[in-house]
Amino acid sequence: MMTNINELPLDIAAIEVDAPDLIKVSAKSRSTAVAGAIAGVIRQYDFAEVQAIGAGAVNQAVKALAIARGYLERDALDIVCMPYYTEVDIDGNERTAVRFRVESRAL
Amino acid sequence: MMTNINELPLDIAAIEVDAPDLIKVSAKSRSTAVAGAIAGVIRQYDFAEVQAIGAGAVNQAVKALAIARGYLERDALDIVCMPYYTEVDIDGNERTAVRFRVESRAL
């Protein structure tokens, strides 16, 4: 039996629409700007996804995560992160990216 | 009134002796070796501290954390990390290090 996508419960579509954007970090990203983005997404969604490709970008992402913890203190929130690898397509080339799954946790 | 350190309860000394060593990561560290060290410390202590100075070292530390998550799956454990900055003395020079507080969490 095939599943007709139009017969799926409506709330599945709602969940997908409400997912936060992936926060992409480069070696040139300002860490305070990225930290602000992370803090904003955490306040709204309680979780965030941060992606970095290359050592310089990973370093900026980690700096941003450390700074975002300070920003979220005033909201009585801390964040924890779980790094993992994923393959991504950049202009037709497969690259290994580091992603951080970031979750909020009460202080 | 002064506290005589010799009169402190014995279990304070026991706690200090039982803290895990800081895991220091350099840009040249093998990420699988560091991952093994992290997994070993987590199994024994439920938490670990990882230190990296410089973008190359931070990148190796993050790789090691991602790999350690795989190693700990067989123990039904995951890890979460909380990055923070700290100033450290390297040969008389003050350097900014990134430290990761790493905690275990049930899968």
Side-chain angles (χ1 to χ4, degrees):
Chain A
M1 196 189 103
M2 299 251 303
T3 302
N4 181 336
I5 198 164
N6 295 317
E7 291 170 3
L8 289 172
L10 271 177
D11 57 346
I12 290 180
I15 287 165
E16 286 185 346
V17 166
D18 209 31
D21 286 337
L22 179 62
I23 298 170
K24 292 181 182 170
V25 183
S26 83
K28 292 174 189 163
S29 298
R30 273 197 311 126
S31 48
T32 50
V34 176
I38 294 169
V41 169
I42 288 288
R43 286 189 196 102
Q44 190 174 353
Y45 294 97
D46 285 322
F47 76 96
E49 289 274 339
V50 178
Q51 178 175 293
I53 299 172
V58 169
N59 190 46
Q60 289 309 97
V62 169
K63 277 191 202 170
L65 287 162
I67 295 166
R69 294 181 68 202
Y71 291 173
L72 289 163
E73 261 181 32
R74 67 191 79 158
D75 304 284
L77 287 176
D78 196 4
I79 46 178
V80 297
C81 56
M82 286 140 281
Y84 63 98
Y85 289 111
T86 188
E87 299 297 322
V88 295
D89 185 294
I90 304 287
D91 303 327
N93 299 309
E94 197 171 75
R95 297 286 304 275
T96 300
V98 172
R99 282 205 190 157
F100 297 88
R101 159 96 185 170
V102 187
E103 295 179 7
S104 70
R105 145 164 129 164
L107 263 186
Chain B
M1 195 188 103
M2 300 251 303
T3 302
N4 182 337
I5 199 165
N6 295 316
E7 291 169 3
L8 289 172
L10 270 176
D11 56 346
I12 290 179
I15 286 165
E16 287 184 347
V17 166
D18 210 31
D21 286 337
L22 178 63
I23 297 169
K24 292 181 182 172
V25 184
S26 83
K28 292 175 189 162
S29 298
R30 274 198 309 124
S31 48
T32 49
V34 177
I38 294 169
V41 169
I42 288 289
R43 286 189 196 102
Q44 191 174 351
Y45 294 96
D46 285 322
F47 76 96
E49 289 274 339
V50 178
Q51 176 174 295
I53 300 173
V58 169
N59 190 47
Q60 290 309 98
V62 169
K63 275 192 203 170
L65 287 163
I67 295 166
R69 294 181 68 202
Y71 291 172
L72 289 163
E73 260 181 35
R74 70 191 76 156
D75 303 284
L77 287 177
D78 195 3
I79 46 177
V80 297
C81 55
M82 286 140 281
Y84 64 97
Y85 289 111
T86 188
E87 299 297 322
V88 294
D89 184 295
I90 305 287
D91 302 327
N93 299 308
E94 198 171 73
R95 297 286 305 274
T96 300
V98 172
R99 281 206 190 157
F100 298 87
R101 160 95 186 173
V102 187
E103 294 179 7
S104 69
R105 153 163 125 165
L107 260 186

